[in-house]
């Protein structure tokens, strides 16, 4: 097994992200790795196809601030030093790949909901991260609240 020196933990900051905490800490501790945490915010304009008749800048800034606070809280609770907390705006998979390349990440840890049927055909964030990464990817099975 290769030794991981730099690990990127990709979080959506939902309550289900808590399920990744122990796995990330255990792997980082076992490898003595630098641990980074990332949360990607898709721009509000993506949701509306970029055709919004108002300025969303202040709302986007509020989303960024809220995400930074939640990421800080998560990082404080992990029980392992976090080298970097990154909140970035863009397409989720693209930004995770960009940061992984920029920081020379050896392992990306991402949650996977294990969707079935049509959701599986449409793809998931974990699947997108896996297929474009230049490093190992660990997709941790997330148990949904309704499971």
């Amino acid at each position: 097994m290769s030794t991981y020196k730099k690990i990127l933990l990709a979080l959506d900051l939902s309550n289900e992200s808590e399920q990744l905490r122990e796995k990330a800490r255990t792997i980082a501790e076992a490898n003595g790795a630098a641990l980074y945490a990332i949360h990607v915010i898709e721009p509000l304009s993506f949701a509306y196809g970029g055709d919004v008749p108002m300025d969303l800048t202040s709302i986007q800034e509020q989303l960024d601030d809220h995400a930074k606070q939640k990421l800080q809280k998560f990082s404080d609770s992990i029980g392992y030093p976090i080298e970097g907390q990154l909140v970035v705006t863009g397409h989720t998979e693209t930004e995770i790949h960009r940061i992984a390349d920029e920081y020379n990440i050896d392992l990306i840890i991402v949650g996977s909901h294990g969707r079935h049927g049509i959701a599986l055909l449409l793809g998931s964030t974990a699947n997108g991260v896996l297929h474009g990464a230049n490093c190992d990817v660990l997709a941790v099975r997330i148990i949904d609240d309704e499971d």
Side-chain angles (χ1 to χ4, degrees), residues 1-17:
M1 181 175 148
S2 66
T3 300
Y4 298 115
K5 294 179 180 11
K6 293 183 178 182
I7 298 171
L8 181 63
L9 175 58
L11 301 163
D12 66 4
L13 296 177
S14 69
N15 291 337
E16 294 164 345
S17 293

Side-chain angles (χ1 to χ4, degrees), residues 31-131:
N31 288 278
L35 182 60
Y36 299 83
I38 185 171
H39 174 69
V40 180
I41 300 172
E42 296 215 358
L44 290 173
S45 60
F46 281 15
Y48 298 102
D51 208 14
V52 182
M54 59 196 280
D55 183 11
L56 299 174
T57 305
S58 66
I59 297 170
Q60 192 75 51
E61 287 172 357
Q62 289 174 2
L63 289 173
D64 291 352
D65 290 342
H66 182 69
K68 287 175 185 172
Q69 291 171 9
K70 285 189 79 169
L71 187 57
Q72 180 66 54
K73 184 177 177 182
F74 181 92
S75 296
D76 290 345
S77 73
I78 202 164
Y80 190 85
I82 304 290
E83 294 290 321
Q85 298 173 32
L86 307 154
V87 174
V88 296
T89 302
H91 183 262
T92 303
E93 292 90 346
T94 302
E95 291 304 313
I96 291 171
H97 294 150
R98 181 182 67 79
I99 293 296
D101 290 343
E102 184 178 316
Y103 283 73
N104 297 311
I105 296 297
D106 303 305
L107 174 67
I108 299 169
I109 300 175
V110 63
S112 174
H113 291 273
R115 303 279 187 225
H116 303 286
I118 191 72
L120 182 61
L121 291 174
L122 295 174
S124 68
T125 299
N127 190 47
V129 170
L130 173 66
H131 290 290

Side-chain angles (χ1 to χ4, degrees), residues 9-11 16-24 110-111 140 142:
L9 175 58
L11 301 163
E16 294 164 345
S17 293
E18 303 297 321
Q19 296 177 42
L20 299 173
R21 179 188 295 123
E22 183 68 27
K23 187 80 67 175
V110 63
V140 177
I142 297 294

